[in-house]
Amino acid sequence: MPVLWEDVLVPVRFLATMGQLVGTLAVGLDMRPYLLPALPRRHTEQQYHDAEEECMQVVVLSLVFLSLEVGSLMLGFSFFSSKANMLHCLFHGAGFFAVMVFSAASNHFGVLWYIFWFCAFPTLLVEAHSLLGLFWLRRAAY
């Protein structure tokens, strides 16, 4: 019996989302390697503090969005929507890969904003669309 794509969407979505979440958390726990490429060689303490604050903003924002999505998945709100699950798999898979490459290369922390806008934010919109259809429009996905 062949395995259908719909049968593996939820586990792949969970793994991709958790991969992006854990990778982002790892970046947040040790931000120094990502701050130094963003600063001039002779930087002031104020410049370092400003860069650290901006890096913390994008990490916290990403972690909040990803946590909301994992919570929604665990509660089963968008569990049965194959289209939403496929979009989550694609975006979170790309986000996981991007965070992995970002971490390995010790890039400028500004790259995290691109990862947020292109990989984390669209999935929040997909999740919001699913929740809107479920609660406000009373449209079930199953």
Side-chain angles (χ1 to χ4, degrees), residues 105-120:
S106 294
N107 284 325
H108 186 296
F109 73 89
V111 174
L112 283 175
W113 282 111
Y114 292 109
I115 295 172
F116 171 77
W117 286 114
F118 291 117
C119 298

Side-chain angles (χ1 to χ4, degrees), residues 12-54:
V12 170
R13 174 184 172 187
F14 176 76
L15 290 174
T17 305
M18 290 306 292
Q20 188 178 0
L21 180 74
V22 169
T24 305
L25 184 62
V27 168
L29 291 175
D30 186 24
M31 292 186 292
R32 186 167 176 80
Y34 314 108
L35 295 176
L36 295 179
L39 297 169
R41 187 171 299 277
R42 295 182 185 193
H43 57 275
T44 64
E45 192 65 32
Q46 182 63 34
Q47 288 174 320
Y48 184 85
H49 177 70
D50 291 344
E52 185 179 38
E53 186 176 322
E54 185 179 349

